Amino acid sequence: MRYDFDKIIDRRGTNCCKYDEMPNDDTIALWVADMDFETAPCVMDALKKRMEHGCFGYTMVPHSFYQATIDWFARRHGWQGIKKEWFIYTSGVVPAVSAIIKAMTQAGDKVLVHNPAYNCFFSSIRNNDCHIERIGVFEDIEAKCCDPSVKVLLLCNPHNPTGHVWTEEELTHIAEVCQKHNVFVIADEIHCEFINPSCGKRYIPFATIADKVNMGKDKQLLYAVCTSPTKAFNIAGLQIANIICPDDSIRRRIDRAININEVCDVNPFGVIALQAAYTKEGEEWLTQLNAYIYANYNYTKAFFAEHFPSWKVMPLEGTYLLWINVGDNADRLCKDILDKCNVYINSGSMYGDNHYIRINLATQRARLKEAYERIKI
């Protein structure tokens, strides 16, 4: 079956953050990491069937929910041996990250992040009275991890906003250094389904690397992985995510933090949507979606090379968020583009680098072309 990603979806008037917060109805929104595509038909069919029941009270999470996730990561990503007992479900990856930081730190501790970083990482760290310790994406973390006040590394795999897909060698080095210095790793892997088919890389679950590093060692690297289908299938509003943590004692601490934060309940539609997404039908839809998004990337590269040759488009290996070096003062550039061209994009300053802008490519190509034509003028 061929899916139509060129179909324009008018999202205005649906209380959509991406569009209904815009200055006017003609603004093209290329900012927040929220796609403009309808979700997969298999997800919509499952939600329609559940809606027809008519009762939407408190929900249990069935065994099939866990099994769907276990089977998906084993089949699609080679992450074998996940156990149901390792799961903690919650409403989203950001609440998950915040709860894990709460569980694994004390006030005043440092949390290491690769800069630039997803902006919500900063608030999750600060809200837990911890300090942000930054390191460049391609810098060696050894010197930072030697600091005994660094308790946690917050790893974005693949990396948002740079689009970098970590290699096995890079992840192994990260795991070995964190093991050596007793640094707990939180792996945010919400973007794992978006890998450029032509980049020659693949998403490697951090857990598979950590388990290899731990094999035969007395000193174990402790970690938790945060996953969710919400980015891949454009269902963020359904609020569903999982924390997968194999260590019993750490998992109990995280579960306690989840309950303290009161993010331990999920809604029935999120539970249903995950199970429908993690199927062969969902996988086929996702394969075609990836091809479409990275065709958008190729179009963007060619357009900017012709019309904005001074802008350096960074390689997009993963995610659908394009990172572009515009030289200086991205804040001013983004404001001018919004005020003069009516196109809303993100300045890199919110992620830690004001030399860059971030563009969301997960939209219809016609909308993308219109946005670029406006900026060109």
Side-chain angles (χ1 to χ4, degrees), residues 220-259:
Q220 296 285 291
L221 168 64
L222 299 174
Y223 65 89
V225 178
C226 303
T227 71
S228 173
T230 55
K231 279 283 184 286
F233 290 90
N234 204 25
I235 52 174
L238 301 184
Q239 297 187 314
I240 193 71
N242 287 306
I243 300 167
I244 302 175
C245 178
D247 186 274
D248 293 342
S249 62
I250 298 297
R251 194 170 58 253
R252 285 193 292 269
R253 289 165 63 178
I254 296 171
D255 187 59
R256 174 64 177 157
I258 286 282
N259 280 273

Side-chain angles (χ1 to χ4, degrees), residues 93-94 96-98 100-101 110-126 128 132-133 135 141 145 150-160 166 174 178 183-189 206 224-226:
V93 164
V94 172
V97 167
S98 294
I100 300 169
I101 293 174
K110 295 178 181 178
V111 177
L112 184 61
V113 296
H114 290 98
N115 195 72
Y118 174 43
N119 56 296
C120 287
F121 285 180
F122 301 138
S123 57
S124 291
I125 295 167
R126 294 190 186 105
N128 282 290
I132 300 164
E133 187 73 14
I135 188 168
I141 67 169
C145 288
V150 172
K151 302 298 185 183
V152 171
L153 167 67
L154 185 41
L155 175 69
C156 193
N157 177 34
H159 187 262
N160 169 24
W166 302 97
I174 288 170
C178 290
V183 175
F184 186 89
V185 177
I186 304 171
D188 171 4
E189 302 191 346
F206 181 77
V225 178
C226 303

Side-chain angles (χ1 to χ4, degrees), residues 142 145-147 150 176-183 219:
E142 180 90 40
C145 288
C146 286
D147 181 348
V150 172
E176 288 175 342
V177 170
C178 290
Q179 180 193 54
K180 177 181 176 182
H181 296 287
N182 298 310
V183 175
K219 188 176 185 179

Side-chain angles (χ1 to χ4, degrees), residues 86-371:
W86 296 353
F87 282 71
I88 301 172
Y89 56 78
T90 187
S91 57
V93 164
V94 172
V97 167
S98 294
I100 300 169
I101 293 174
K102 180 185 288 292
M104 300 309 300
T105 64
Q106 296 180 350
D109 286 342
K110 295 178 181 178
V111 177
L112 184 61
V113 296
H114 290 98
N115 195 72
Y118 174 43
N119 56 296
C120 287
F121 285 180
F122 301 138
S123 57
S124 291
I125 295 167
R126 294 190 186 105
N127 289 343
N128 282 290
D129 296 320
C130 291
H131 300 296
I132 300 164
E133 187 73 14
R134 304 175 193 238
I135 188 168
V137 171
F138 300 108
E139 289 183 51
D140 190 347
I141 67 169
E142 180 90 40
K144 297 287 187 180
C145 288
C146 286
D147 181 348
S149 61
V150 172
K151 302 298 185 183
V152 171
L153 167 67
L154 185 41
L155 175 69
C156 193
N157 177 34
H159 187 262
N160 169 24
T162 67
H164 179 61
V165 173
W166 302 97
T167 66
E168 184 174 359
E169 292 74 21
E170 289 169 332
L171 291 174
T172 299
H173 179 67
I174 288 170
E176 288 175 342
V177 170
C178 290
Q179 180 193 54
K180 177 181 176 182
H181 296 287
N182 298 310
V183 175
F184 186 89
V185 177
I186 304 171
D188 171 4
E189 302 191 346
I190 196 169
H191 292 280
C192 70
E193 306 301 344
F194 296 104
I195 304 296
N196 186 336
S198 63
C199 78
K201 290 186 176 182
R202 62 185 179 90
Y203 153 68
I204 302 173
F206 181 77
T208 63
I209 300 297
D211 291 345
K212 287 180 184 178
V213 168
N214 281 336
M215 196 173 299
K217 304 284 183 61
D218 292 330
K219 188 176 185 179
Q220 296 285 291
L221 168 64
L222 299 174
Y223 65 89
V225 178
C226 303
T227 71
S228 173
T230 55
K231 279 283 184 286
F233 290 90
N234 204 25
I235 52 174
L238 301 184
Q239 297 187 314
I240 193 71
N242 287 306
I243 300 167
I244 302 175
C245 178
D247 186 274
D248 293 342
S249 62
I250 298 297
R251 194 170 58 253
R252 285 193 292 269
R253 289 165 63 178
I254 296 171
D255 187 59
R256 174 64 177 157
I258 286 282
N259 280 273
I260 289 172
N261 286 351
E262 299 292 0
V263 286
C264 50
D265 290 323
V266 291
N267 76 69
F269 292 103
V271 174
I272 292 294
L274 179 145
Q275 295 175 80
Y278 286 165
T279 59
K280 290 183 178 179
E281 293 84 356
E283 190 165 11
E284 175 55 34
W285 179 86
L286 195 56
T287 297
Q288 294 183 36
L289 171 65
N290 265 275
Y292 189 90
I293 287 172
Y294 292 106
N296 277 354
Y297 166 59
N298 290 330
Y299 172 78
T300 301
K301 278 200 307 181
F303 189 96
F304 286 179
E306 179 180 356
H307 299 287
F308 303 100
S310 65
W311 292 7
K312 184 179 180 182
V313 177
M314 307 308 291
L316 186 62
E317 298 171 345
T319 81
Y320 52 73
L321 304 164
L322 188 56
W323 194 236
I324 304 172
N325 190 329
V326 293
D328 194 17
N329 205 339
D331 284 340
R332 183 177 60 196
L333 175 64
C334 289
K335 186 178 187 306
D336 286 346
I337 289 174
L338 178 59
D339 292 344
K340 299 175 182 178
C341 310
N342 213 13
V343 176
Y344 189 16
I345 57 180
N346 288 126
S347 168
S349 63
M350 69 189 298
Y351 312 106
D353 196 327
N354 196 35
H355 295 89
Y356 289 81
I357 60 175
R358 194 190 79 167
I359 295 179
N360 180 348
L361 298 178
T363 192
Q364 291 75 22
R365 196 156 304 130
R367 184 175 278 145
L368 206 62
K369 289 179 178 180
E370 170 62 21

